[in-house]
Amino acid sequence: MATLQAIKYNDGQLEILDQLLLPESCTFIPIFNVEDAWAAIREMKVRGAPAIAIVGCLSLAAELRKLAAPDTKEELCRLVKEKLDYLVTSRPTAVNTQLAAEACVKLCTQLTANASVDVAEAKDAVVKSLEATLADDMADNLAIGEHGASAIMKKTATKDKIRILTHCNTGSLATAGYGTALGVIRSLHKASKLDQVYCTETRPYNQGSRLTAFELVYEKIPATLVCDSMAAAAMKQFKIDAVIVGADRVAANGDTANKIGTYQLAVLAKSHDVLFYVAAPFSSIDFQIPNGQSIPIEERPHSEMTHTGSIRTAAAGINCWNPGFDVTPAELITGGIITEKGVFKPDQLAPPQ
Ligand code: MRU
């Protein structure tokens, strides 16, 4: 069965599946420019580290396609940098947009220095590179799925079928398609190795119960929803073989920021002797920061905790703490970091040459 497609892009026309309306309704909304993308990302109509960067890049591509080429390549560079800098401010923790912006600005600078390229050609080259992010991410995810599934199958070779626990949403809704951690789970299912996947509810925003559960039901992957507070009991009772999660930003030493609640799962995995994997493309690895302490953690509105939809579920007046992410120390990532280039122990990560 085809996986869900949450980002549609054709000839400068960009549409995204509005994830705020899931699971009740599948509604696509148009994104015409970077302002639309910034707002959709900030409001979490699209979320998930790779998807945020892709929608940002495609929104700029869509905008540039409609624009007459500026007078000079320097002007083009300035415009592109300004728009990308703005997109980077939409959400702070995931690094993917920042890395995509740096690569695009580098390309602009190279094109500017190349006297044989005129401004219209430079604009086309920038648009092409921004548009390539969609197919590139899809290819990365398929490779992550393959590397992850084969590494996990090797580790669990004595078992016929295995049980996996995952957190948040890392699937087609969070990427160009297929997914990272959920991609590995898809690949395990395709290989008939998956007995059951347990997906956490992922409070407070419920990416697990709203989005991951939606994808798993859509694809008929055997799955069970558990509340976050049931993770320890589930590990023990169901003899979970591995936890696989995604990443918003991996630091150079392998410390990994991901959805709040990931850290506690890693601690629990250690004490239950369960393998813990992070699945993420190199576009989520920030080699410029030494460790997780430097990762900015987004603080989310308190209403996500105090209300379910418009219904108040917490006592009025209570103080709240609502970080969107936490950092899992590298030493707890016992299985490894599954990337499109293979599976690495956290201390084996190295920048691509
Ligand atoms: O706040 P969200 O929903 O954007 O958080 C998403 C996550 O934490 C994902 O695990 C991460 O971005 C990886 S998505 C492939």
Side-chain angles (χ1 to χ4, degrees):
M1 172 189 280
T3 58
L4 275 169
Q5 198 191 354
I7 303 170
K8 291 185 181 169
Y9 184 83
N10 217 339
D11 277 343
Q13 309 289 321
L14 172 60
E15 284 189 326
I16 60 162
L17 182 58
D18 184 346
Q19 298 188 28
L20 293 179
L21 303 179
L22 286 172
E24 288 84 19
S25 122
C26 276
T27 306
F28 280 85
I29 52 168
I31 300 286
F32 296 108
N33 50 42
V34 295
E35 284 76 21
D36 288 353
W38 190 95
I41 293 165
R42 179 59 79 99
E43 290 163 25
M44 290 176 73
K45 288 180 176 165
V46 58
R47 28 65 51 208
I52 290 171
I54 294 164
V55 168
C57 288
L58 294 179
S59 71
L60 178 53
E63 208 178 313
L64 286 176
R65 269 177 177 254
K66 281 178 264 170
L67 209 78
D71 290 340
T72 64
K73 288 189 279 180
E74 286 76 10
E75 232 176 282
L76 173 71
C77 257
R78 251 195 318 276
L79 177 83
V80 165
K81 184 171 182 325
E82 194 183 292
K83 300 228 174 236
L84 289 167
D85 284 349
Y86 168 66
L87 284 164
V88 168
T89 64
S90 55
R91 290 187 73 194
T93 302
V95 74
N96 307 54
T97 309
Q98 185 192 313
L99 296 184
E102 283 168 12
C104 188
V105 169
K106 189 171 164 196
L107 173 67
C108 271
T109 312
Q110 284 164 350
L111 292 164
T112 303
N114 186 343
S116 67
V117 175
D118 70 23
V119 64
E121 289 166 336
K123 192 185 89 149
D124 285 352
V126 169
V127 167
K128 268 205 187 79
S129 85
L130 291 165
E131 291 178 344
T133 53
L134 193 60
D136 288 352
D137 187 62
M138 188 67 187
D140 287 350
N141 295 336
L142 292 171
I144 287 171
E146 225 163 85
H147 288 305
S150 74
I152 292 169
M153 288 198 287
K154 236 181 251 162
K155 283 266 188 194
T156 57
T158 55
K159 293 191 172 177
D160 192 25
K161 300 240 183 202
I162 58 172
R163 294 169 179 174
I164 303 289
L165 187 137
T166 191
H167 189 54
C168 195
N169 174 265
T170 59
S172 297
L173 294 168
T175 62
Y178 204 71
T180 57
L182 206 56
V184 176
I185 291 164
R186 281 190 163 98
S187 295
L188 287 167
H189 178 57
K190 266 201 274 179
S192 303
K193 182 75 178 180
L194 186 72
D195 174 43
Q196 190 79 200
V197 51
Y198 296 86
C199 70
T200 58
E201 190 181 27
T202 318
R203 281 281 293 148
Y205 209 69
N206 296 323
Q207 287 94 331
S209 54
R210 288 192 306 113
L211 309 177
T212 301
F214 181 80
E215 289 198 36
L216 292 167
V217 170
Y218 185 85
E219 289 190 35
K220 299 190 172 58
I221 295 175
T224 301
L225 176 67
V226 293
C227 296
D228 301 7
S229 51
M230 298 167 189
M235 278 185 202
K236 191 169 173 189
Q237 174 137 346
F238 303 121
K239 301 193 172 31
I240 303 284
D241 295 283
V243 175
I244 318 176
V245 297
D248 285 83
R249 189 184 303 229
V250 180
N253 73 340
D255 289 353
T256 295
N258 190 50
K259 180 51 53 194
I260 189 73
T262 301
Y263 174 34
Q264 70 193 14
L265 291 177
V267 172
L268 291 177
K270 178 134 199 229
S271 75
H272 289 84
D273 206 15
V274 170
L275 289 163
F276 189 93
Y277 290 92
V278 167
F282 267 70
S283 56
S284 299
I285 306 179
D286 185 353
F287 287 102
Q288 294 167 46
I289 55 165
N291 57 51
Q293 273 174 18
S294 322
I295 301 177
I297 300 293
E298 178 182 7
E299 288 264 349
R300 305 274 317 157
H302 294 174
S303 56
E304 287 177 1
M305 292 171 67
T306 56
H307 289 70
T308 300
S310 57
I311 299 170
R312 175 176 277 284
T313 50
I318 188 68
N319 188 36
C320 296
W321 179 53
N322 188 17
F325 304 91
D326 56 25
V327 175
T328 299
E331 65 267 22
L332 293 180
I333 304 170
T334 51
I337 299 178
I338 305 165
T339 74
E340 69 277 24
K341 297 182 204 298
V343 183
F344 300 92
K345 289 290 173 200
D347 61 0
Q348 292 172 339
L349 283 176
Q353 291 313 307

